[in-house]
Amino acid sequence: MDGQGFVSMAALQMSREWLGIQQFPPATQSKLLEILGKYKEEDVSSLTVVVMGKGGVGKSSTVNSVMNEKAAAVSTFQSEGLRPSLVSRSRSGFTLNIIDTPGLIEGGYVNDQAINLIKGFLLNKTIDVLLYVDRLDVYRVDDLDRQVVNAITDAFGKEIWKKSALVLTHAQFSPPDGLNYDLFVSRRSDALLKVIRAGAQLKKHEIQASSIPVILVENSGRCHKNDNDEKILPDGTAWIPSLVNTLTEISFNGNKSIHVDKKLVDGPNPNERGKRLIPLIFAFQYLLVMKPLVRAIKSDVGRESKPAWEVRDSGSANRRS
Amino acid sequence: MGDGAEIMDMSHGEEKKLVVDRISDEQVEKKELVGSVDVRDIEEEVFEEAIGSQEVPKTESFETEDLPLEATPENSKAEHEVVDLEETSSDERGLKDLKVDYSVVGESHGEVNVHDITTKEAEPDFVTPKMNDGKGEAGADISYGQTESSSGAVENSEKTTSNGSSLAAEDVNMENGNIHSFSENGIVSLENKELVPEGVSVSAWSKETEENVHVSAGIGTEQEVGEGKGTTKNCSEKGLVCTDNESGAQKNGETSAVFSSVKSASGDKSLDDSIEVAGAGTSSPLEKSSTEEKGETVGHSSSGFPGVTSREHGTVQNSNGGHDVQQSLQPNKELENQLGSRVDIEPEITESPHVEREFEVVSSVSPTESRSNTAALPPARPAGLGRAAPLLEPAPRVSQQHRVNGNVSHNQPQQAEDSTSAETDEHDETREKLQLIRVKFLRLAHRLGQTPHNVVVAQVLYRLGLAEQLRGRNGSRVGAFSFDRASAMAEQLEAGGQDPLDFSCTIMVLGKSGVGKSATINSIFDEVKICTDAFQMGTKRVQDVEGFVQGIKVRVIDTPGLLPSLSDQHKNVKILKSVRAFIKKNPPDIVLYLDRLDMQSRDSGDMPLLCTITEVFGPSIWFNAIVGLTHAASAPPDGPNGTALSYEMFVTQRSHVIQNVIRQAAGDMRLMNPVSLVENHSACRTNRAGQRVLPNGQVWKPHLLLLSFASKILAEANALLKLQDHTPGRPLAARSKAPPLPFLLSSLLQSRPQAKLPEQQYGDEEDEDDLDESSDSDEESEYDQLPPFKRLTKAEMAKLSKSQKKQYLDEMEYRSKLFMKRQMKEERKRRKMMKKFAAEIKDLPNGYSENVEEERSEPASVPVSMPDLSLPASFDSDNPTHRYRSLDSSNQWLVRPVLETHGWDHDVGYEGVNAERLFVVNESIPISFSGQVTKDKKDANVQLEMASSIKHGEGRSTSLGFDMQNVGKEMGYTVRSETRFNSFRKNKAAAGLSVTLLGDSVSAGLKVEDKLMANKRFRMVMSGGAMTSRGDVAYGGSLEAQLRDKDYPLGRCLSTLGLSVMDWHGDLAIGGNIQSQVPIGRSSNLIARANLNNKGTGQVSIRVNSSEQLQLAMVALVPLFKKLLSYYSPQQMQYGQ
């Protein structure tokens, strides 16, 4: 890179040229460039995508597939560190930032530490798109899925789900006996979307207003390819362009991007909560609790009949004095 | 075979036997502390034996060549050296050594073997190889040395030696081959070259082999015993030892049979028995080295094997047989009998000249004959039977030969014979049963389409053999690993068709929801037994599915899916509890834990789930668990470099992860759950038979079933052999230990005070007081007669002159002594009064006594601080006793904390609670109870003691006690009783009995104790006892003499001499100690103590304590000064320079 390049790089804060895009097969390249053109038309210079999901579902692999380079470290059997990583690539003035996050599940529960790290990492950034990643070839939805969705909702607010897509990896998969592929995909995605909707606490009309799109992904090197050498899904669509296309749709879907600020990260200040109620409660206590009590005590004292010896004692004391 | 050779043979056989004995002795010693004396003796014998053998001229009839005579002495010398070596080699030698040694032997062997071919012959050294065999750990090492030396000898063209050594190598190699045959199994290839290194390098198995070897050595001992008693028995047991070798050999034979089945068929006419086959098999690994030499020796082997092979094995047979016959001094008929009873007896038997002469070392036995003998022996049969039966045996059997191929038909009748003759012997019966199990397993394997060379099959067979041997050692003999027989039988039975097998296996399937449990069950039965749904929880409750797979009854327990989330674990617990209730009636034989192969649960996400399983079922559930990985046909993910991982790698990694998690969950790091792959997808590739095949070519279903069956089979065998605690992680840990008799004995011999009634509590042994009483009366008055005495103040003391001071102090000491004496006497008197009073009160009406009771209990309610605990010695200047002080409450339960003796100095050193209480039953029988519970991070200990004593008659009392405590991992319960006879004044005798239940063994003990009080100053306690368990007896005795000051509690002079003797397994442990306490001066004591035992260890300690010489503490300054000086001196040196 020459001097000019160096300057531009410094300006773009670590965002490198998106070289991987040139490695794509020509068909994919042209589609991608077309999509990027759309951004130019809208005068948007960057897009920030956050990838989240359970561990081992293929988040980092998806990032790598999209960037078409080994941007994030992938290890099959070990979990990577807890730190989220930002992969930022620019192409003709448009920057695509993808934030890869660690798996949110650790030992059977949601890893709060990971969530906090992600929050801290995203501080003062704007999330344009959230990709919630899970595997297609899993049959059941369990409580962990719910917990993960809830954790994301708690951390970034339910609005984030309006800017999200469900990514199902391992899409090149033959479903179990008696099910065809499309049916399986739809049932699997429905099951997951149900969980997401429940976890996001979206209201009915909101659900109708913004349906969460489903993206199928196959990161494996054995992914089938079509004549144009594009990676395709079992149904024949090239998935990388369609993924990027969906990203674009989401970013333009009219909902506001999520800006992660201090308030969102720290959550509501517990000291502020219910402050206004304090005088009310005080008044309530004074009028309805203390007053009757004092009255009751006094009436008790008045009604007391002293035992004989006390009367005698006090009498003798009076005499003495 | 000429006489000379045989003689040699014989002597060596003898020697070998001795060596084996010796080895076994050594082993015994290792465990049981047998003195080394015998060992040395035997060694000597061996030496003599060897010397003797030197003098015998020998001729080689086996080969045409003669052996040079000079070689023999060398030989024997070498052997002796070997023995020496062995002597020095300690038992601590690790397994690592063994491994290394093996490999070394393997190498050198190849080299020597070449020589061997040229030289041919020479059994004499056979001893060494044998020894190696038997020796195990050390043996391998020795053989190495031997080989080396002998290879040197070869260079010197001393052929015998080299030959012998090659034999040694060969033998070792046999082991290796053996090993190899297990590890390699299915893959046995025709290339023998590969075999050798492989056999050597398989370390895991070599270890096991070693165990094996040990076992055989153990038998050796017994055998000797047998020999001492009667010759016949010896014979049979000898046979067992041979069998052991043979079993290995047979395996070898099996291996070799794989590469050339023609071999056995063709058969060496002369050498046609099992050992021959074994020999061939053994030597096959050698082929590589021997091929070049083939030309020379081809003439000998008609089987197409290089001559070397046959030659060597011939010698093996030779020596085997030689020592065998020679050892067993049996008459011919017995031999014949055995021959007859056995499968393969060669024609040569007839020509064998040996039989008559076997008795002496000088006698000769033809190799073949003896060989046949060995072959005949495998099933250990009672000697007496062996002798009695012979005449009934039909001689024609002798003509039956080739066992490997032709055996099926022969075996059947034979087995029948075996069983008839074995009926009397219970052990034979179990062996037959074991054999049946083996056959059953082979049939199972056969039905599942697995050959006996499948890794799993071979392992199971090996373990069965091992278990049998282990058992054999515990009992009296070892059976043959009659694999051929079993496999032949299995084949025959299977050929009959798929008639139902007397076998059923229950598999319980556990796993996360959606991994495919129900689908797997459907796959196992090849039909839809359970409806599955990809998205719904398919199985809602535990259910049983039964069916037949290949005619084998299989029952599968399907369970609802478990949930991985931590918050769902209560649901899991509920599910698992229902499973537990379900399986209570008929527990599963095996647990199949399923997970998906293609799910990387790398965040230890399954941990909570697995932990829950462990919690509900206990960690033992994992001991019999197989890990099943479903979705096994899924493609492996991309590796770090972007290309896909290899399937094997993927599976290995994934299994490793799961095994590791299970290990953690079970808390047992030795666990190694076998992994089986599962693929239920209908699109899975299938082979022609319609079985699903995995990407690695494995047909998973038979494999999975075989694994399950294997563990069931092993469990059956365990049940049969009563080997307990058999976990797959450590197949050899199952030996049940003998109870620690010495420990039990010493606790029995310990003299315990009898429980006493509360009012007698504080009196020291009253009976002894009686002795003192009479003498005291005069002194009592003495004190009163003394002139009044006034204590001086410190100031006044200072004014006194030195001599005055001394006088004053003497006087004071005298007076205080007298005073104390008087006080003691008064106390005693008071107590006696009380006793009398109490006795009177008993006669009075109740009201009174209550009064008295109240009065007495009143003062106790005032809290009094309990006596200080004695703290462990420490260098800490701070005396922390005060931290452990507590008040004595009026509560009858005395509860105290237990101090941790090995804690940190300033730590709170409690590790348990101790509770005591004294009950009085019937106002006359005291029962004391004390219990203690201690717990540290690792384990909890419970100790409970109850004692009671009853007085019956004057001067006789019986105490009963019950103890319960942890001994190692088990609880030991002891009941003991002791009766004391106080009929004489100066002599008190006691006798006691005790029974201890520890684990599953009961030991009983008896003791006698006598207490002698010669006079006031001298008393002696002698006790002796014996403890027995399982035919094991330990004897012990102790003596304690005490010499004390005339007026004991006041005078501080006290000497004690203690002596204890313990004899267990002929190992005599003698220990003694002397302790003496002498007052020096007024306020100082000197305490000297020494102890010594017959192992040469001892301790001497001298302690001076003083309450006066404060300046003694200045001694502590010495090291300080020394240190300071050391700072200074170098500087001065420097200045000086």
Side-chain angles (χ1 to χ4, degrees), chain A residues 11-269:
Chain A
L12 285 171
Q13 285 188 344
M14 293 295 292
S15 76
R16 282 195 281 160
E17 195 68 17
W18 190 357
L19 296 172
I21 202 166
Q22 289 156 12
Q23 314 294 320
F24 278 124
T28 308
Q29 257 188 64
S30 61
K31 280 179 203 160
L32 288 181
L33 289 175
E34 187 190 324
I35 294 163
L36 295 189
K38 243 185 243 172
Y39 282 99
K40 236 175 202 163
E41 283 169 26
E42 298 282 332
D43 202 21
V44 177
S45 67
S46 77
L47 179 70
T48 305
V49 179
V50 178
V51 184
M52 283 199 247
K54 288 194 283 188
V57 293
K59 294 181 296 297
S60 302
S61 301
T62 307
V63 173
N64 290 347
S65 295
V66 172
M67 290 303 193
N68 204 19
E69 61 180 289
K70 244 185 85 179
V74 178
S75 53
T76 309
F77 294 101
Q78 290 162 356
S79 61
E80 62 285 349
L82 279 175
R83 212 148 275 289
S85 61
L86 169 68
V87 181
S88 178
R89 297 289 180 269
S90 59
R91 170 81 188 178
S92 50
F94 173 76
T95 312
L96 177 61
N97 302 310
I98 303 186
I99 294 161
D100 185 23
T101 64
L104 295 179
I105 295 294
E106 172 78 41
Y109 56 92
V110 172
N111 190 344
D112 290 329
Q113 196 192 354
I115 293 271
N116 285 333
L117 276 170
I118 294 170
K119 274 205 248 176
F121 189 83
L122 292 176
L123 186 59
N124 294 329
K125 291 192 175 68
T126 302
I127 303 174
D128 293 316
V129 179
L130 165 73
L131 292 182
Y132 180 74
V133 186
D134 206 340
R135 289 176 68 146
L136 175 65
D137 60 346
V138 172
Y139 305 122
R140 306 282 155 83
V141 172
D142 57 37
D143 199 54
L144 279 180
D145 295 305
R146 255 162 242 135
Q147 286 181 22
V148 172
V149 171
N150 285 341
I152 294 173
T153 314
D154 289 347
F156 301 106
K158 61 181 185 178
E159 293 298 312
I160 199 169
W161 293 107
K162 292 178 183 170
K163 302 290 282 182
S164 68
L166 173 64
V167 175
L168 293 173
T169 58
H170 296 79
Q172 184 173 302
F173 149 82
S174 46
D177 316 342
L179 285 173
N180 70 19
Y181 185 78
D182 292 331
L183 185 63
F184 185 88
V185 170
S186 71
R187 289 192 62 176
R188 170 75 180 149
S189 49
D190 282 350
L192 276 173
L193 286 176
K194 213 171 121 193
V195 170
I196 290 173
R197 278 185 210 120
Q201 298 149 3
L202 293 176
K203 292 187 190 86
K204 258 235 165 85
H205 67 272
E206 284 176 315
I207 293 167
Q208 282 156 358
S210 60
S211 64
I212 297 171
V214 176
I215 309 167
L216 295 176
V217 161
E218 176 56 63
N219 297 312
S220 161
R222 270 176 313 280
C223 184
H224 294 303
K225 292 183 178 162
N226 63 10
D227 303 336
N228 296 331
D229 212 23
E230 291 176 293
K231 284 184 174 179
I232 54 163
L233 298 173
D235 61 4
T237 51
W239 63 267
I240 290 175
S242 75
L243 186 147
V244 179
N245 196 29
T246 317
L247 291 184
T248 321
E249 278 167 20
I250 295 168
S251 65
F252 293 136
N253 70 355
N255 289 311
K256 246 179 66 190
S257 300
I258 309 297
H259 182 71
V260 183
D261 52 15
K262 198 85 184 145
K263 207 175 107 192
L264 191 63
V265 169
D266 290 345
N269 185 353

Side-chain angles (χ1 to χ4, degrees), chain B residues 376 386 415 438 504-505 533 585 614 703 834 859 878 884 947 1052 1130:
Chain B
Q415 188 146 24
R438 213 171 263 151
S504 73
C505 187
D533 186 325
K585 275 169 276 166
T614 315
H703 186 252
M834 287 276 281
D878 178 27
Y884 303 111
R1052 293 165 311 206

